[in-house]
Amino acid sequence: MAFYDLSKEERNQKVNKIFNDIFIAIEKDKFQKIETYSADEDTYIRKTTYQNIGKIYFKYPDLQSNIINKLKQILKNKDEKIRQTTVNAAGEIGIKNFEIVESIFDIALLDEHHSVRNAVIGSVKKMSEKNPIPVLQWAKKYLHHADKEIRREICHGIELRGRTHQQDILPFLKELQFDTTARVRHTLIHVLGQIAYKKNCLETVIQELKTWKNKDLVLKAIDEIIDVHQRYKDFSFYTQEQAIQYIDKNFNTQ
């Protein structure tokens, strides 16, 4: 039975069982249970697994080195779900202690399977939001990587930090303005739209775009920003019309 087919009480019991099983597996250095849960077809079982690994890591400092060593081992597993769960577990740890899991992300960023690389993006989002300095320093290393997908994934990964602290990621985004790959440019434009619709955000992004040299990309970003204010009208600080008025007044699109 799928996780959310269970009653609330049954779900709580399941979460507690997974926590206890994982704790015992780590404590006894017998990790088969972790791999079994990590490979589960149910997304919520895998999520519970990596969240519990993070909780155990911070609650029991004496088990931390054991956890990190095992995550590095199972990152080599042939099952992409196990590798994906491993990356997400590393992301839980990296919210506070990124340096200890940095090498895991160096490896996972190059993984052959998209689900593992997507776990990197998701993890970078949550880590850069809570622990920006080391995570963004790490991300900067990959901004001009030869692999276009890595450039795109880094661009996407730093988005969440930009929703509240645009000044932290706009210099990174600026470095990608002349990227020759369409997928990277599309992601860049998407991220600019995503960081421009909350309170005080439009002003910051528009002022930054004034300094960019790639005018064609900037105009496409402006179109995306205006469109986002309609698509997310229930969450935007400005209405679409107000956004257009601000842009017309403060940015020469000619």
Side-chain angles (χ1 to χ4, degrees), residues 195-216:
I195 68 174
Y197 67 90
K198 297 293 188 179
K199 185 177 181 180
N200 297 326
C201 296
L202 178 64
E203 295 86 346
T204 302
V205 174
I206 293 301
Q207 290 305 311
E208 169 65 22
L209 289 178
K210 287 182 180 181
T211 71
W212 289 28
K213 303 299 184 183
N214 189 338
K215 299 306 179 184
D216 180 63

Side-chain angles (χ1 to χ4, degrees), residues 50-100:
Y50 69 71
Q51 287 179 334
N52 278 330
I53 291 173
K55 290 176 183 176
I56 292 168
Y57 178 89
F58 290 111
K59 188 173 182 179
Y60 301 98
D62 57 316
L63 296 177
Q64 289 180 351
S65 62
N66 202 11
I67 290 171
I68 296 300
N69 289 336
K70 187 55 185 178
L71 290 180
K72 289 179 179 179
Q73 290 176 30
I74 61 178
L75 189 62
K76 303 173 184 177
N77 195 287
K78 65 180 181 179
D79 188 326
E80 67 271 9
K81 288 187 176 64
I82 292 178
R83 302 199 305 277
Q84 178 193 52
T85 305
T86 301
V87 172
N88 282 319
E92 295 293 309
I93 295 167
I95 288 174
K96 293 182 180 179
N97 293 351
F98 176 71
E99 291 85 353
I100 200 69

Side-chain angles (χ1 to χ4, degrees), residues 94-109:
I95 288 174
K96 293 182 180 179
N97 293 351
F98 176 71
E99 291 85 353
I100 200 69
V101 294
E102 180 174 346
S103 63
I104 291 176
F105 287 97
D106 285 328
I107 295 169
L109 192 61

Side-chain angles (χ1 to χ4, degrees), residues 143-144 151 155 170-186 188-189 192 209 211-218:
L143 276 176
H144 301 291
R151 301 195 303 274
C155 181
L170 283 168
F172 291 66
L173 301 180
K174 188 175 184 178
E175 290 194 33
L176 294 171
Q177 65 177 305
F178 288 107
D179 198 292
T180 58
T181 301
R183 277 172 61 79
V184 178
R185 293 196 305 274
H186 291 160
L188 173 58
I189 290 167
L192 287 166
L209 289 178
T211 71
W212 289 28
K213 303 299 184 183
N214 189 338
K215 299 306 179 184
D216 180 63
L217 183 136
V218 167

Side-chain angles (χ1 to χ4, degrees), residues 38-39 42 85 233:
S38 295
D42 192 322
T85 305
K233 60 183 178 181

